Amino acid sequence: MSRVISFSITALVLAAIGTLHTTSAHAQFQRCPLITQISLEECRTLEKLFFDTDGPNWINIRGWLRSNQPCEWYGVTCLSEGWPRRITKIDLSGNDLSGSLPGELSRLTQLRELRIDNSGPGHRFRKLTGNLPAVLGQLEHLEVLLLGNNDFTGSIPMEYGNLASLQQLSLANNKLTGPVPESFAELGNVRRMDLSGNQLAGTIPDVFAALTSLEDLDLSSNLFTGPVPTALGRLTKLRSLNLSGNALTGALPDTLANLSRLIWLSLADNDLAGALPLHTARFAAGINSCSLSGNQLCIPDNPVYADLEPVCGLPKDGTCRVCAGTDCDALEAVFAATGGTAWTTRSDWLATRDLCRWHGVSCTGDRVTGLHLADNAVSGRLPGALGELVLLEELNLSGNVLSGPVPDSLSTLTALSVVNMSDNQLSGPVPLAVASLGSRAQVCDFSGNPGLCMPDQPDYRAFGPNICGISLNTLCGEFPLVQVSGLRVEPQEQAARLYWQTDAPAIGLRFDVEIITGQDVSVAGSVHGKAPTTYSYTVENLHSGPHTFQIRQISPTGASVVTDPLTVRLYEPGLTITGPYPNPFFTRTQLSLVAGSELPVQVDVFDVTGRRIQTLYRGQPALHVPWSLQFGPAALPGGTYFIRVLSQNATLQTFQVQHVR
């Protein structure tokens, strides 16, 4: 019997010791029943927050559950009037909280600010985890919610769209997934929103268009796809916008130029592509801090953009074009050949994607059906490319200073019902096919061109004694000039080779190869006409940079006609390498190269141990054609890598890059 009693006493003692052990962490703190400054319910909420987030190990626990004045506890602010006092602010940012955030915080019905951003010097290992409490959406007076730099997981609760008073929201640098809730459209008072550094996915929703009070928006370093929403252009109070480090695609929307207050913009490291329209490029160039690198965006190198320096880190590119429609080439050729930059009015030409908005251009659908540039200081010679506007119905270039011949290609414009080329300086015979087309048009006027004539020949007489306002002339057509076509130029090592052809033998004619430098034209060499109709000529000893050529055809009597100019860019001999950029990189880095000499190239990637992990390129690149290589496989571990460029067993350059996971 005594042994049984002894055993029972021992068990009770051990149980008591266990109870003391489990409550020892709490025993040193004062309990809520002894506190009257705030309500018992609010005190219980603070108590749960303290123990759920490992309060005893916070950096600063001044007053917490040790005094009966909670409104003086570290990070706690209360209303100054009323009894019991109501808690309006909790700021425990940078205080090393860990564990989970209790949903009971929703009981603090007068809470205006909740700040538990776990940022601070050095890397913090103690962070809040678990899902964001959805019940926080009940805090109707909450104005500031900062929960960044923790390890919250799951999706953003849709209930947070009920926080109608919210002005600042930061959930940055957590592990949140899923889309941005559609309910966010109700956060009409938010001025600053930071959702960066998560794993949010899907397209950026148009709900942001409803947040017209937004001044700062950061959605960087997520997994967003699709285009940059045009609706962002409605956020006219926006001062900073960061969408970098996502997988956004498409062109940059013109509506961004509506953000007149923007002083900081980053769209770097996405998959955006295309040329920046002039209005957008001017807008971006005026932003204090702007980055568009790490995309496939470009700035056109054409006369319309001449006054712009590189924009947001993007240099000008001669291959970059804003317009990409079916009729773009033809209109761009007209602009270049007829002094477009000196036109009286040239609004939107080469500057916007929609060519139907260009001055004087009218369309049906997206195809050009009208070109009206009368009395507009249009000069130079009409390019043959004008004939590529195959749906053109009306062409009015009257009252300008156009010179040279009427191109044969106009005869392909079989839909023309109105053509007016009057009062210019056109010369030479009107091609028979063009005269035939004009005779069938409802309106055709070539009058007022003293040098223009219609040959008095049987084929022309079939259309009448007067064609398009010009009488037949027996002296017309005596110039032995031929039609030059197919002009192209191929870059070579410090040289350029031109090729062209004629529609008939050119015996007795001379072809001068001319170089255009600014306003100066010089002859690089000459080729005499012959019975074969194909020609070529090589211009040697050319320096790096752009070179513009034209072919002038000259008859024995001095009559001449010149082709449209053609430009080629030459690069420095050897291999020009730019990049890698960005460095350090998150998803990928890019190396840009261009060869000015014929040489074999091999590009390899090595890790820090010297092990080759990937060959990016092996071969002989085309001369004077810019190209790029990208490095950054999806499964690539973080760390240091070396990119080596090799040619003929000699290392041209080695780059060290840092991959950040």
Side-chain angles (χ1 to χ4, degrees), residues 354-368:
D354 184 3
L355 55 76
C356 301
R357 291 171 46 191
W358 297 4
H359 170 74
V361 177
S362 56
C363 299
T364 299
D366 60 351
R367 298 301 302 273
V368 176

Side-chain angles (χ1 to χ4, degrees), residues 206-224:
D206 283 343
V207 298
F208 290 104
L211 309 185
T212 53
S213 296
L214 263 181
E215 298 173 5
D216 304 284
L217 177 61
D218 192 344
L219 303 178
S220 63
S221 300
N222 278 288
L223 304 175
F224 289 117

Side-chain angles (χ1 to χ4, degrees), residues 352-616:
T352 63
R353 298 186 183 98
D354 184 3
L355 55 76
C356 301
R357 291 171 46 191
W358 297 4
H359 170 74
V361 177
S362 56
C363 299
T364 299
D366 60 351
R367 298 301 302 273
V368 176
T369 54
L371 185 59
H372 306 269
L373 296 173
D375 302 309
N376 202 43
V378 180
S379 62
R381 289 168 166 77
L382 283 174
L386 183 61
E388 297 173 11
L389 300 175
V390 294
L391 299 184
L392 200 64
E393 298 173 0
E394 296 185 7
L395 174 63
N396 189 347
L397 298 174
S398 63
N400 288 295
V401 284
L402 290 167
S403 59
V406 175
D408 284 335
S409 61
L410 286 187
S411 64
T412 64
L413 304 180
T414 56
L416 273 180
S417 61
V418 175
V419 53
N420 190 347
M421 308 289 290
S422 63
D423 300 320
N424 278 282
Q425 299 173 17
L426 299 171
S427 61
V430 176
L432 176 63
V434 176
S436 174
L437 178 68
S439 68
R440 300 192 305 270
Q442 294 179 9
V443 176
C444 181
D445 190 354
F446 282 93
S447 65
N449 292 279
L452 201 62
C453 62
M454 295 280 183
D456 188 2
Q457 298 174 357
D459 289 339
Y460 285 83
R461 293 188 198 117
F463 308 132
N466 185 294
I467 307 171
C468 298
I470 301 178
S471 300
L472 300 183
N473 186 342
T474 57
L475 299 178
C476 182
E478 293 185 351
F479 302 109
L481 299 178
V482 295
Q483 183 72 30
V484 175
S485 62
L487 177 62
R488 61 186 176 90
V489 58
E490 291 183 358
Q492 300 179 339
E493 288 193 26
Q494 296 181 283
R497 189 168 184 82
L498 287 83
Y499 299 85
W500 69 96
Q501 61 191 40
T502 63
D503 64 341
I507 296 174
L509 300 180
R510 186 180 84 242
F511 299 94
D512 286 351
V513 179
E514 299 180 338
I515 301 177
I516 304 174
T517 306
Q519 301 295 321
D520 298 327
V521 178
S522 59
V523 178
S526 299
V527 176
H528 291 285
K530 53 187 179 179
T533 58
T534 58
Y535 299 83
S536 66
Y537 184 85
T538 300
V539 182
E540 299 180 333
N541 300 318
L542 296 175
H543 57 77
S544 60
H547 298 275
T548 302
F549 304 95
Q550 62 186 16
I551 304 296
R552 186 178 299 276
Q553 176 188 173
I554 304 174
S555 74
T557 62
S560 68
V561 64
V562 67
T563 65
D564 297 328
L566 195 62
T567 300
V568 64
R569 177 179 290 275
L570 301 183
Y571 291 84
E572 292 286 348
L575 192 67
T576 301
I577 309 171
T578 305
Y581 185 85
N583 186 16
F585 68 98
F586 179 69
T587 55
R588 64 181 180 273
T589 188
Q590 179 170 295
L591 201 66
S592 299
L593 310 94
V594 61
S597 305
E598 294 183 355
L599 73 171
V601 174
Q602 181 168 330
V603 183
D604 298 307
V605 182
F606 299 84
D607 62 17
V608 292
T609 68
R611 179 174 62 93
R612 181 168 58 192
I613 64 171
Q614 187 177 355
T615 296
L616 298 180

Side-chain angles (χ1 to χ4, degrees), residues 161-173:
N162 297 328
L163 299 174
S165 299
L166 202 63
Q167 298 181 25
Q168 297 182 48
L169 172 64
S170 175
L171 304 176
N173 300 315

Side-chain angles (χ1 to χ4, degrees), residues 31 83 102 116 172 194 223 263 324 344 353-354 598 606 617:
R31 313 304 293 179
W83 194 268
I116 311 182
D194 188 352
L223 304 175
I263 59 176
T344 303
R353 298 186 183 98
D354 184 3
E598 294 183 355
F606 299 84
Y617 178 82

